[in-house]
Amino acid sequence: MKKLIPVGFAVVATVLTSLWLFSASRADEDKSGPNVYELLDLFSEAMQIVRTKYVEEIDDVELIQGAVQGMLATLDPHSAYMTPDQMNTTEEQTSGQFGGLGIEVTMEKGWVKVVSPIDDTPAARAGIEAGDYIIEIDGETVLGMMLDEAVKKMRGPVGSEIVLTVEREGESAPLEIVIERDIIRIASAEVRREASTIVVRVKTFNRQSLTNVVEGITEQLEEAGGVDNITGVILDLRNNPGGLLDTAIEISDAFLERGDIVSVRGRDVAGTQNYSATPGDLAAGKPIVVLINRGSASASEIVAGALQDHKRAIVVGTRSFGKGSVQTIINLGSEKGGVRLTTARYYTPSGRSIQAQGIVPDIHFEEQRSSSVAAEDERDYLSEADLPGRLENDSLMNAEDDDEARQIEQEELQQLRLEDPQMAYAIDILSAIDAFELR
């Protein structure tokens, strides 16, 4: 009688064999490195001990998935294994429609922390704010959960309710916020007119964003009677958590006539990709102001950095999140899921890396708080620099000192706004003129 090998163990054997063949092919390249086969043998032994001696029976698929997730978690906060369901969810998000609450979250010190709520979603309407810590989901602590597990618990049937318990700076006790789940349809960009100014609110960068922006601005210009009847454009990227790199490049290109937009450099420096603008400016040369805050991340920072470096826009707000890395989704097959892997860093046209540094605005301006915290108090907002295991900043130019000096200068000006608003306003005007080189 043939001895049957458990399917899970057969999968492990296949994986180990494949990795051994890979390691053997690399042996000639690095003979001084560790013996990968021995390390894989360690993994095999540890797994077999868990399978045979753990107090409860273990699902082999979950065990392997957990091992892969653990391996990727040692790299940086944005690399992760994705189950088949999570791969489908990612596709829904980039297409512009998915189910859930409408919040961008990450993990910090074992807790789920809100990067930003998405405009006009159940979470935003219920009062979830950037910087909130989610400590319980329907009464169950999130401590010890993987981020994907917490996100899965926050999803559910449309119309069903969920109770999030959050800790918020300035509140003496945790808040219980009841949210009704809904289909999240992201109108990725909304365009309106305030007096003679066109306001472009980009909520996320997905496949619909460029079309939304172009159609919205075109419509507003027609209603205004032409570009001569508008004074400028405000590009609102506050609480925009990012999205597709290609879309960020397209939005930047829409307002630039020429020059570099962003460069993407991976492990192989020789393979650096440079993206440049093509002729055509939706704003027809009119002044642009970009609004950012601590919830502006990734693709938002690409756009703000490109327009700032080319002095095409005045950037107003607070230092952005600081995510300067690029993730590639690698599909492993419909039954295996995929891998989200950090494969490159991006740099602004001047060579700045935003990683763990963020975009420092030309004019620092704090938002009005919706909680009881006083305007002068600083909430402990999350930034890329706060994430454990983050990538280091490796700017192609030494811009960190300039950024720090600008930040100090803007903080001093913020104090002046409290003491003498008219004087500070006058300084802001001169700063704006200087940035556009209109002196």
Side-chain angles (χ1 to χ4, degrees), residues 261-402:
I261 293 173
V262 67
S263 61
V264 179
R265 189 180 76 181
R267 188 170 177 174
D268 181 9
V269 178
T272 298
Q273 294 177 288
N274 295 298
Y275 298 89
S276 300
T278 55
D281 178 1
L282 277 176
K286 293 287 185 175
I288 299 174
V289 171
V290 177
L291 297 179
I292 62 171
N293 64 5
R294 296 169 179 86
S296 304
S298 193
S300 299
E301 295 171 295
I302 290 176
V303 176
L307 298 183
Q308 185 183 53
D309 278 4
H310 284 292
K311 295 191 175 182
R312 182 64 188 92
I314 303 292
V315 179
V316 177
T318 55
R319 187 192 289 262
S320 60
F321 184 81
K323 181 178 177 292
S325 60
V326 178
Q327 283 68 47
T328 301
I329 305 296
I330 302 170
N331 195 326
L332 302 178
S334 59
E335 296 182 358
K336 297 179 182 178
V339 170
R340 182 175 67 244
L341 190 66
T342 298
T343 54
R345 289 180 171 92
Y346 68 76
Y347 303 86
T348 70
S350 66
R352 288 185 294 164
S353 170
I354 298 164
Q355 175 61 24
Q357 180 74 10
I359 296 291
V360 177
D362 300 304
I363 298 175
H364 181 94
F365 203 94
E366 291 283 348
E367 298 172 275
Q368 292 291 324
R369 303 292 173 81
S370 59
S371 69
S372 60
V373 183
E376 62 270 20
D377 289 340
E378 276 294 324
R379 181 180 301 158
D380 181 22
Y381 281 93
L382 173 72
S383 73
E384 178 80 5
D386 298 321
L387 300 181
R390 61 170 172 78
L391 296 176
E392 296 300 322
N393 184 288
D394 69 337
S395 288
L396 300 180
M397 61 170 290
N398 186 16
E400 187 171 349
D401 291 342
D402 290 340

Side-chain angles (χ1 to χ4, degrees), residues 2 33 47 55 61 74 87 93 98 143 147 164 183 206 226 246 285 312 356 405 425 428:
K2 293 183 178 180
M47 180 173 176
V55 66
V61 174
T74 65
M87 286 288 289
Q93 291 174 336
F98 58 96
L143 192 62
L147 181 60
L164 299 184
I183 294 295
N206 62 32
D246 290 347
R312 182 64 188 92
Y425 187 62
D428 285 341

Side-chain angles (χ1 to χ4, degrees), residues 84-102:
D85 287 344
Q86 290 162 349
M87 286 288 289
N88 292 334
T89 298
T90 299
E91 176 58 30
E92 291 171 356
Q93 291 174 336
T94 56
S95 67
Q97 177 173 313
F98 58 96
L101 305 180

Side-chain angles (χ1 to χ4, degrees), residues 93 100 133 171 247 316 329 374 394 415 429:
Q93 291 174 336
Y133 284 95
E171 300 292 343
T247 303
V316 177
I329 305 296
D394 69 337
Q415 181 62 33
I429 291 173

